[in-house]
Amino acid sequence: MYKLSFLIFFFLYAYASMVYLTTTSLFMQALFYSALRCSREMIVVNDGSKNLVRAINNRLSALSFHIREYYWVDMNKINVIYRYKTEEYSTEATNKFNIYPEQIPSWLMDWIPEEGGYLIGNLQPAHMDFRFFTLGNLWSVISSLGTPKHNEAILNLIEAKWDDLVGNMPLKICYPALEHEDWRIITGSDPKNT
């Protein structure tokens, strides 16, 4: 049983690590978190697997802190971002990713309900993708990647913005949709791949 669970863990960890290293999107982060939690549950804890379980727990802790701290957006966080100082380069910097307040889209302040919030789609140095990605947010709720308060706020946002997110479709994957040439600029589209 131990060998089988280790083999399953190894493949899940290898796949999730490969995906994690190639992208930092919310869905991939949540998928990686789920794979780690599932693999931890499958491993029988004994002297041989103790270090492996400790490594999984350390990774889960670091990943959940990173997502909860840097990907979370609600009205309070937006107000904090508006007051960010830019070009800070130290371990004590509050703006660790050098996010410019001008990057906050104009639609965001009116769109987020007072009791709601969500996890942003992607975070890179000097760039936050503020679009709402349904799959990543719902997967983070299912896997308990967010705190209970975050999970409730995500569900409150979905309920409050039902017409925007559902409309005439079963459920939109992303809100707002990119228009015209914005998708090439924001997603880093490569013309050779089209």
Side-chain angles (χ1 to χ4, degrees):
M1 181 65 184
Y2 173 70
K3 290 180 182 179
L4 178 61
S5 63
F6 180 77
L7 184 63
I8 292 170
F9 163 77
F10 177 76
F11 285 119
L12 283 173
Y13 187 80
Y15 173 73
S17 295
M18 177 189 69
V19 170
Y20 179 77
L21 292 173
T22 59
T23 184
T24 58
S25 71
L26 174 62
F27 177 65
M28 292 303 147
Q29 302 261 15
L31 187 63
F32 184 42
Y33 184 82
S34 295
L36 287 173
R37 285 193 61 183
C38 290
S39 60
R40 183 181 64 184
E41 293 299 318
M42 291 189 295
I43 295 174
V44 176
V45 180
N46 56 31
D47 289 339
S49 65
K50 189 171 32 176
N51 290 335
L52 183 61
V53 171
R54 185 180 310 116
I56 291 171
N57 287 335
N58 290 342
R59 186 65 157 193
L60 283 169
S61 176
L63 181 58
S64 64
F65 172 80
H66 180 76
I67 296 296
R68 292 171 182 175
E69 181 70 21
Y70 301 118
Y71 277 61
W72 181 251
V73 172
D74 59 4
M75 291 303 283
N76 293 332
K77 182 69 177 254
I78 292 171
N79 289 326
V80 169
I81 294 171
Y82 270 125
R83 291 189 291 278
Y84 272 169
K85 295 177 184 173
T86 55
E87 308 299 330
E88 291 183 310
Y89 301 102
S90 72
T91 55
E92 291 85 31
T94 56
N95 188 359
K96 297 193 184 310
F97 293 94
N98 201 25
I99 304 299
Y100 289 86
E102 297 83 28
Q103 293 177 338
I104 299 173
S106 58
W107 58 267
L108 190 60
M109 291 298 288
D110 295 329
W111 195 70
I112 293 184
E114 197 63 40
E115 305 82 31
Y118 66 99
L119 297 166
I120 62 172
N122 204 342
L123 176 65
Q124 301 167 10
H127 178 72
M128 293 177 88
D129 187 350
F130 285 99
R131 293 177 294 159
F132 177 84
F133 286 87
T134 305
L135 189 56
N137 276 278
L138 290 177
W139 198 260
S140 68
V141 170
I142 290 168
S143 66
S144 298
L145 177 56
T147 65
K149 183 180 175 184
H150 290 166
N151 295 341
E152 184 177 348
I154 290 168
L155 296 175
N156 286 342
L157 181 131
I158 291 172
E159 183 178 6
K161 297 301 175 180
W162 187 262
D163 291 338
D164 290 338
L165 297 173
V166 178
N168 296 324
M169 302 176 66
L171 191 62
K172 293 181 183 175
I173 295 172
C174 175
Y175 181 86
L178 297 177
E179 296 179 5
H180 310 293
E181 294 297 310
D182 286 347
W183 70 273
R184 290 183 192 273
I185 296 165
I186 292 176
T187 62
S189 166
D190 185 352
K192 295 185 297 289
N193 294 335
T194 56

